Amino acid sequence: MASISVKNVVKQYADGFPAVNDISLDIGDGELMILVGPSGCGKSTLLRMIAGLEDITSGDLFIGGERANDKAPRDRNLAMVFQNYALYPHLSVYENIAFPLRLNGNFSDDEIRRKVEEAADTLELRDHLERKPSQLSGGQRQRVAMGRAIVRQAEAFLFDEPLSNLDAKLRGQMRTEISRLQRRLGITTVYVTHDQTEAMTLGDRVAVLRKGVLQQVASPRELYQRPVNLFVAGFIGSPPMNFVPAEIEGRKVSLPFVSFEVPQEVADQFGDRQLLIAGIRPEHFEDAALVDANDLSHSVSFSAHVDVTEWLGNELFAYIPFETSREIHDRLKTLARELDSESLRTQLVVALDAGSRIGPGEDAKLTFDASKMHFFDPVSGDNLTRELAAVAS
Ligand code: ATP
């Protein structure tokens, strides 16, 4: 097993487009690192450079401390598991798993049998060894692909969206299985996904990429509680964080639907900015009717006209339109040319306790905990209050 490091790595394709732009990342021995980001952000390209399937335009790759830029893929001893599993359809499960050992040529039949059976036990495939891949479920095929990686005793696993072909239920099961297996085997793993839930539940640490640039590398908890910028804040969390224009006057913050004061230490972070983007997660709202009045002292209350509700059994989503004045809207647009329209939403999404009786078309009193809010610079997107946000252990 080995650590993997990339230092200032760039990938420029023939058209000159930097698909990966100066990324540095250290993946510890035995660590499970997730690479996550929207389609086209460069995560597969980065993984393929580590695997040796793509040349590195500039920068360095180290595997187990050794520079590996110029090593052939097979000399890197990494095991790659793709989303289409790449199994041989005419071979049994046994022969599929045994394949890399036979290719190696240094193992006796007895050794091969022992290794294949050991892997099959770990993956609960013992009863299926004689089957062909076509006689397996998607999840079982996935495990065969992992079995092939395990018997090779690779230095690291590289996964490229391994679960995206599976249905939601199986995806959940396989996620848990991969996590359990990875911990048991302690194999350094790099795992690419565009699914933030997968990223949050699987990874020791998660690297968030956007347009080829690394935005933040942190534990799932840190990403959620202390996102470095608007992009990470909006990408991590479901439903996504609400972004709302905020006018600032000293300690006073005016959102389109309520004004309140923030502590001086928060206001100190604003500098002389007069217009910011406030971020409030849907789950940080509460139905005031369900909150003990004594617990409301740190919360901001406001009246809301609820448009649509969705009751999901374990929580209630309510959609609340709000209006931003034309002037604020235009000022924000001028300031923040990069701000995507997603960031300038016109409705709040709030996730309330399932016991809430709020219904569509009703006026409701809601509260939110202002100490859990984030404030972003509209031009750079930087989270100005990140340092103040505590990370719960
Ligand atoms: P997805 O989730 O859609 O697979 P990704 O984050 O894995 O996306 P990459 O496949 O790494 O993204 O691609 C990053 C960027 O590089 C994209 O804009 C893509 O169009 C571009 N790209 C990928 N392969 C090539 C290539 N062979 N030649 C030119 N451009 C490429």
Side-chain angles (χ1 to χ4, degrees), residues 13-15 17 19 37-46 161 192 194:
Y13 282 112
D15 56 6
F17 177 80
S39 182
C41 70
K43 52 197 186 297
S44 298
T45 299
L46 182 56
E161 306 249 8
V192 162
H194 64 273

Side-chain angles (χ1 to χ4, degrees), residues 306-320:
V306 176
D307 181 15
V308 173
T309 58
E310 293 168 349
W311 189 76
L312 301 175
N314 61 339
E315 56 190 343
L316 177 95
F317 291 158
Y319 296 84
I320 297 158

Side-chain angles (χ1 to χ4, degrees), residues 18 23 49 81 84 119 142 160 167 181 189 195 210 314 324:
I23 288 187
M49 284 193 286
V81 183
N84 55 8
Q142 179 70 59
D160 194 355
D167 65 45
L181 209 63
T189 300
D195 180 325
R210 181 196 188 207
N314 61 339
T324 303

Side-chain angles (χ1 to χ4, degrees), residues 340-355:
D340 45 38
S341 52
E342 259 296 278
S343 308
L344 288 175
R345 275 179 225 133
T346 52
Q347 68 172 0
L348 290 176
V349 181
V350 307
L352 305 175
D353 188 286

Side-chain angles (χ1 to χ4, degrees), residues 196 200 216 218-227 232-233 236-239 241 281-284 372 374:
Q196 61 100 14
M200 294 294 275
Q216 186 169 10
S219 67
R221 203 177 285 272
E222 168 109 11
L223 284 183
Y224 176 86
Q225 292 174 337
R226 306 205 312 168
V232 176
I236 300 293
S238 174
M241 187 184 281
R281 292 206 182 271
E283 54 275 29
H284 292 152
K372 290 188 175 147
H374 300 272

Side-chain angles (χ1 to χ4, degrees), residues 214-248:
L214 185 60
Q215 307 288 305
Q216 186 169 10
V217 192
S219 67
R221 203 177 285 272
E222 168 109 11
L223 284 183
Y224 176 86
Q225 292 174 337
R226 306 205 312 168
V228 289
N229 58 25
L230 266 176
F231 177 77
V232 176
F235 191 76
I236 300 293
S238 174
M241 187 184 281
N242 294 288
F243 294 130
V244 181
E247 278 187 284
I248 307 299

